[in-house]
Amino acid sequence: AAPPEGAMSNGVYVPPGAANGDVKPVVSTTPLVDFLLQLEDYTPTIPDAVTGYYLNRAGFEASDPRIIRLISLAAQKFISDIANDALQHCKMKGTASGSSRNKSKDKKYTLTMEDLTPALAEYGINVKKPHYFT
Amino acid sequence: RAGSKHATTPADNYYLARRRTLQVVVSSLLTEAGFESAEKAAVETLTEMLQSYISEIGRSAKSYCEHTARTQPTLSDIVVTLVEMGFNVETLPAYAKRSQRMVITAPPVTNQPVTPKALTAGQNKPHPSHIPGHFPEFPDPHTYIKTPTYREPVSDYQVLREKAASQRRDVERALTRFMAKTGETQSLFKDDVSTFPLIAARPFTVPYLTALLPSELEMQQMEETDSSEQDDQTDTENLPLHMSTDDSGPEKENASVLQQNTSLSGSRNGEENMIDNPYLRPVKKPKIRRKK
């Protein structure tokens, strides 16, 4: 998920190829400024206290509660992206053999480590869990 | 810190409560994605990742903020942090709106009240004044106890006299050597010039001047009684003067090479130097005459 070129936090960054005219410059203000205003009454799934606690542990003192909500939202999206990728893997394994065509595959999807590991590998996170432990 | 089957102390619960909240959040996100159930190991993995992710965002945003000489992180710091961690910031508003359409599964979990950790110290801890409250507290007061150790100064009279005498001798010798090395020298031996250099004597044009003029001590007394101007001429010419001419009164023994500032009588009449450099003032000798 590479960030689009030109959308720096400062705002007015023009890519070097813009003078030729073949690259359309993306000039935007600080992203999420408007979004921050919408966060006033939005409560993400992670409570503010929990996120604030972990940010404080890292040395981050948040002056604005909306900042905390933004961070918790970003973390949520991170996890749900991984969950969606794992779901894709799970579905692929199920219908790869082309077994049942009546409806969609059985609705009971179970997240297993075998689905999670390749999903995380795409993000560069390698997990190796033992198959069993006594 | 992971939950175990054993009984947990209140201190452990203080940490576990938040982790359990994160676990609930992860489970709700998985349900939202479409999973019915999940392996415990997978949920634990995702919980750990979520916690690390939040901590890393906090640390990195703080670093960016401090990089620009600020203390309060702003939105720009977080955006740069997310960009650096490979997060596509543009999709965030879309995700938020999508979540709003779906049902918010986990309501904000009210945490347990802050359970104070077991006060095993028993001592009072002083409160920091300007430090934010979520920082860890100061250690116990006995951390700051220190006993200064310094040696008693030597006050034995004999030792002090010996020290003073040897220091004076060393200084005299060093200074004469310095004068010999940097000025003109005469040698006692014909062939060996460097072994025992003598500071060269400079003959005066008017040799009988010293006989006519009053001595230093008398001049100082005259100066003090007159309260006239001070003579601040640094005169190294007088050093060979004292060395070569045999002015050996008892008061002249003090006029060793240590004495840099001697008041030349010839200049007393004429030059009146307005600059009062303390290093160039004549040395005030003690009034007490040396007993023979």
Side-chain angles (χ1 to χ4, degrees), chain B residues 207-225:
Chain B
Y208 47 83
L209 199 60
T210 52
L212 295 179
L213 297 172
S215 71
E216 270 186 41
L217 192 55
E218 294 173 14
M219 279 181 52
Q220 270 190 0
Q221 287 170 349
M222 279 170 17
E223 277 181 15
E224 274 148 23
T225 52

Side-chain angles (χ1 to χ4, degrees), chain A residues 1 9 32 38 42 53-56 58-61 63 67 74 77 80 82-83 87 109-111 113 120 129, chain B residues 15 18 33 35-39 45 49 54-55 58 61-62 72 78 80 86-87 89 91 95 97 99-100 132 134:
Chain A
S9 67
L32 309 178
Q38 298 172 19
Y42 179 88
Y53 170 75
Y54 284 114
L55 290 175
N56 283 348
F60 185 98
E61 176 87 43
S63 48
I67 299 272
K77 179 170 184 305
S80 54
I82 297 177
L87 193 67
Y109 297 115
T110 302
L111 175 66
M113 286 306 293
L120 286 176
K129 290 281 173 110
Chain B
Y15 297 113
R18 301 171 191 238
F35 285 104
E36 283 275 338
S37 55
E39 277 183 2
T45 308
M49 283 173 54
I54 296 178
S55 305
K62 180 78 174 170
Q72 289 277 340
I78 298 173
V80 173
F87 190 85
V89 195
T91 60
Y95 174 75
K97 291 193 177 47
S99 281
Q100 273 174 352
H134 61 85

Side-chain angles (χ1 to χ4, degrees), chain A residues 56-107:
Chain A
N56 283 348
R57 298 279 290 198
F60 185 98
E61 176 87 43
S63 48
D64 199 355
R66 296 175 297 179
I67 299 272
I68 301 185
R69 290 191 198 128
L70 182 74
I71 294 180
S72 59
L73 207 58
Q76 269 177 244
K77 179 170 184 305
F78 176 67
I79 297 292
S80 54
D81 282 350
I82 297 177
N84 284 332
D85 288 349
L87 193 67
Q88 303 289 329
H89 279 276
C90 193
K91 282 185 183 163
M92 275 195 311
K93 284 186 186 133
T95 59
S97 54
S99 53
S100 58
R101 292 278 189 168
N102 31 2
K103 276 196 175 51
S104 56
K105 185 122 176 16
D106 55 338
K107 301 273 186 158

